[in-house]
């Protein structure tokens, strides 16, 4: 993907920006008919366009493309950005990939004393959406002879040969379609926020607790994720949320912690033991560039394990759903959830049948809720699903039924990008974690997933990258995990209709 992106950016910089040279025009006192600087600047504002035939393969998805659209947006406030779109067979309603934009290829511009259009990359252009550093514009500028040292020592980019032309009506529509095809990142992580003890009984002595919950937040903030969905955010919410608050992130209502004294009071007041802890442990955090509105909060109709088997029914597990407005105004629905757990000991002894059955009831409940509320918005299902595809019949009981409805298609970001879209077959007998795994993994697959559902006639989500941070999600000793689940993240491209 990086090589293709570099090639596309190089094509832009090599082709240049403008159709007419501004050199020698500004400030010519002997030519009273020459346009003023204000007139020239006004003529530059707008969308600029070029298209090149090119046959290649997208490195992120493996899809072929046959043409590349190069576009530049110049704004009146002296900002702008570059866009590159890859298309197949001129299908301009369906960009296969879009690179650039204000965050990845933004710039400021000005006319210098010679009337030259000078572009300076903005600071945000140095960081990609996944948090990795990218100096593509600066590097390519140097390679193509575009780099220039100005009088004040600032490195700027100047225009090259004049090939881009003002976009006409049809070309503007193509560019706007590319602009709508925005990218966003999403992460799911079990915050491991169970208290270390309950009524003098050791419960989660190895958990992050007050000391390392802030480190979890800082790890996630360093990745610059657009939205983060947590599970088991119980007793250390204040410590987890503080770094997010400081960074300007928003979050929804915290469900509360595990309070044994309150549970005892409720028992004395006549409540049933099952569900005595009125908490779900689910919380969403998101960048202020997005807007999240919770649409629903639902409890599972089934669970297993009250005083054993993971104590699942002591709390009120379930899911929360959100309408997400992305930075470009597009809408996505996200489900965050925590499903019934199995213990390793039960799995090894094949005593986890009740947990599997409870989990599949939850999967079917989720499936029915999604189908009942499915509209033109793409859907993401994420969270601690406590499920391996080898162990739970998710494909046949959930994915296939959604697809057989004819209303949507289903994918898993990790399966799509790491296994070519092929789901593992179900396995008879015990399904265990990898030996020595400290973050619940099986051959690279985790219990935590990012599943995407694309409505048949609506916008689509295309996974661009996926990451499981099992090696870097550690405490200062460099080896102890911050929590018992590794963060799982993905970058998506939103493709409009």
């Amino acid at each position: 993907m990086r090589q293709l992106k570099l090639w596309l950016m190089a094509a832009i910089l090599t082709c240049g920006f403008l159709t007419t040279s501004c050199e020698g025009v500004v400030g010519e006192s002997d030519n009273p008919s020459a346009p003023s600087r204000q007139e020239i600047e006004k003529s530059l504002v707008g969308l600029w366009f070029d298209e090149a035939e090119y046959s290649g393969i997208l490195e992120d998805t493996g899809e072929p493309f046959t043409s590349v659209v190069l576009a530049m947006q110049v704004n009146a406030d002296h900002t702008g950005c570059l866009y590159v779109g890859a298309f197949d067979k001129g299908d301009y309603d369906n960009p296969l990939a879009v690179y650039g934009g204000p965050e990845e290829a933004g710039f400021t511009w000005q006319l210098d004393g010679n009337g030259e259009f000078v572009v300076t990359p903005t600071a945000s252009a140095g960081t990609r959406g996944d948090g990795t550093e990218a100096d593509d514009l600066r590097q390519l500028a140097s390679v193509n002879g575009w780099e220039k040292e100005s009088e004040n020592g600032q490195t700027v980019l100047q225009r090259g040969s004049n090939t881009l032309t003002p976009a006409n009506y049809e070309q503007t529509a193509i560019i706007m379609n590319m602009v709508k095809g925005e990218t966003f990142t999403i992460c799911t992580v079990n915050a491991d926020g169970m208290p270390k003890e309950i009524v003098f009984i050791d419960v989660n002595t190895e958990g992050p607790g007050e000391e390392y919950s802030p480190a979890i937040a800082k790890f996630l903030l360093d990745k610059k994720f657009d939205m983060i969905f947590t599970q088991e955010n119980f007793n250390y919410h204040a410590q987890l949320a503080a770094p997010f608050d400081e960074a300007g992130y928003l979050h929804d209502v915290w469900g509360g912690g595990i309070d044994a004294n309150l549970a005892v009071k409720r028992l004395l007041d006549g409540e049933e033991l099952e569900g005595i802890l009125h908490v779900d442990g689910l919380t969403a955090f998101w960048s202020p560039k997005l807007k999240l509105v919770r649409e629903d909060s639902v409890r599972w109709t089934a669970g297993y394990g009250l005083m054993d088997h993971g104590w699942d029914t002591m709390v009120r597990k379930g899911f929360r759903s959100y309408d997400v407005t992305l930075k470009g105004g597009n809408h996505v629905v996200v489900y965050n959830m925590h499903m019934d757990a199995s213990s390793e000991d039960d799995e090894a002894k094949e005593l986890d049948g009740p947990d599997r059955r409870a989990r599949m009831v939850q999967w079917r409940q989720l499936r029915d809720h999604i189908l009942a509320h499915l509209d033109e918005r793409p859907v993401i299902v994420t969270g601690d699903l406590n499920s391996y595809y080898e162990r739970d019949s998710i494909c046949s009981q959930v994915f296939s039924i959604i697809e057989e409805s004819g209303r949507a298609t289903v994918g898993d970001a990790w399966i799509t990008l790491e296994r070519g879209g092929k789901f593992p077959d179900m396995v008879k007998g015990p399904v265990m974690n990898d030996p020595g795994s400290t973050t619940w993994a099986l051959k690279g697959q985790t219990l935590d997933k990012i599943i995407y559902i694309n409505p048949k006639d609506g916008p689509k989500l295309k996974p661009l990258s996926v990451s499981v941070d099992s090696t870097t999600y550690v405490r200062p000793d460099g080896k102890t995990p911050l929590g018992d689940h590794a963060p799982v993240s993905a970058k998506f491209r939103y493709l409009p209709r």
Side-chain angles (χ1 to χ4, degrees), residues 39-351:
E39 290 172 324
I40 294 173
E41 289 188 352
K42 185 176 180 180
S43 72
L44 299 177
V45 174
L47 294 171
W48 300 78
F49 182 93
D50 192 25
E51 181 180 10
E53 292 185 3
Y54 183 85
S55 296
I57 301 293
L58 292 175
E59 295 180 29
D60 49 10
T61 62
E63 293 181 84
F65 63 96
T66 58
S67 65
V68 175
V69 168
L70 314 175
M72 179 177 70
Q73 180 176 331
V74 181
N75 303 319
D77 64 355
H78 287 253
T79 63
C81 61
L82 306 172
Y83 291 101
V84 183
F87 296 86
D88 184 31
K89 299 178 182 178
D91 184 4
Y92 296 117
D93 291 332
N94 237 339
L96 299 174
V98 182
Y99 303 102
E103 293 187 356
E104 290 186 305
F107 58 75
T108 57
W109 65 273
Q110 63 181 351
L111 295 180
D112 67 10
N114 296 319
E116 292 185 347
F117 181 79
V118 181
V119 174
T120 305
T122 57
S124 60
T127 304
R128 294 192 181 92
D130 60 5
T132 59
E133 295 301 315
D135 286 325
D136 294 347
L137 281 174
R138 183 64 53 79
Q139 292 169 359
L140 287 170
S142 179
V143 170
N144 290 279
W146 276 57
E147 197 165 9
K148 174 185 176 182
E149 199 77 14
S150 64
E151 292 182 1
N152 62 2
Q154 182 184 30
T155 302
V156 300
L157 301 179
Q158 288 186 296
R159 63 175 177 79
S161 58
N162 306 318
T163 57
L164 288 186
T165 60
N168 60 30
Y169 176 80
E170 292 182 356
Q171 293 167 343
T172 298
I174 294 171
I175 296 172
M176 295 312 296
N177 197 35
M178 290 167 55
V179 173
K180 290 179 181 177
E182 60 184 316
T183 62
F184 64 92
T185 53
I186 181 172
C187 177
T188 180
V189 61
N190 184 313
D192 199 8
M194 291 281 290
K196 291 181 175 291
E197 64 177 36
I198 299 177
V199 194
F200 306 111
I201 300 174
D202 289 341
V203 175
N204 190 26
T205 57
E206 300 300 320
E210 293 184 9
E211 182 178 5
Y212 293 110
S213 290
I216 292 176
K218 291 174 182 176
F219 178 93
L220 300 170
L221 284 168
D222 285 345
K223 298 288 185 177
K224 296 181 172 63
F225 295 123
D226 290 311
M227 45 187 155
I228 299 156
F229 294 91
T230 63
Q231 307 83 40
E232 287 193 22
N233 180 23
F234 292 125
N235 287 43
Y236 308 104
H237 171 74
Q239 291 80 7
L240 182 70
F244 284 109
D245 293 339
E246 185 177 347
Y249 272 59
L250 306 173
H251 59 80
D252 65 340
V253 176
W254 173 52
I258 293 176
D259 187 333
N261 292 328
L262 183 58
V264 170
K265 181 179 183 303
R266 287 170 178 161
L267 282 174
L268 295 175
D269 289 342
E271 283 197 30
E272 295 291 332
L273 182 59
E274 187 164 349
I276 198 69
L277 300 169
H278 301 181
V279 293
D280 61 5
L282 304 174
T283 313
F285 299 86
W286 63 90
S287 161
K289 296 179 181 179
L290 279 64
K291 180 181 179 182
L292 269 69
V293 176
R294 197 200 304 177
E295 292 193 330
D296 218 340
S297 183
V298 177
R299 300 291 170 259
W300 300 125
T301 58
Y304 183 74
L306 183 58
M307 302 293 288
D308 56 5
H309 289 264
W311 296 34
D312 287 286
T313 61
M314 271 283 193
V315 298
R316 298 190 174 185
K317 282 187 174 182
F319 62 82
R320 299 185 184 188
S321 64
Y322 305 82
D323 173 74
V324 179
T325 306
L326 302 174
K327 289 172 284 188
N330 300 301
H331 289 263
V332 175
V333 176
V334 179
Y335 286 79
N336 179 32
M337 68 204 61
H338 193 185
M339 288 185 164
D340 199 280
S342 302
S343 73
E344 287 188 285
D345 187 55
D346 287 339
E347 290 162 359
K349 297 175 181 178
E350 297 190 58
L351 298 176

Side-chain angles (χ1 to χ4, degrees), residues 3-22:
Q3 291 178 350
L4 175 61
K5 182 175 179 180
L6 286 171
W7 181 90
L8 295 176
M9 288 298 185
I12 284 184
L13 294 172
T14 302
C15 290
F17 288 158
L18 302 179
T19 56
T20 58
S21 174
C22 299

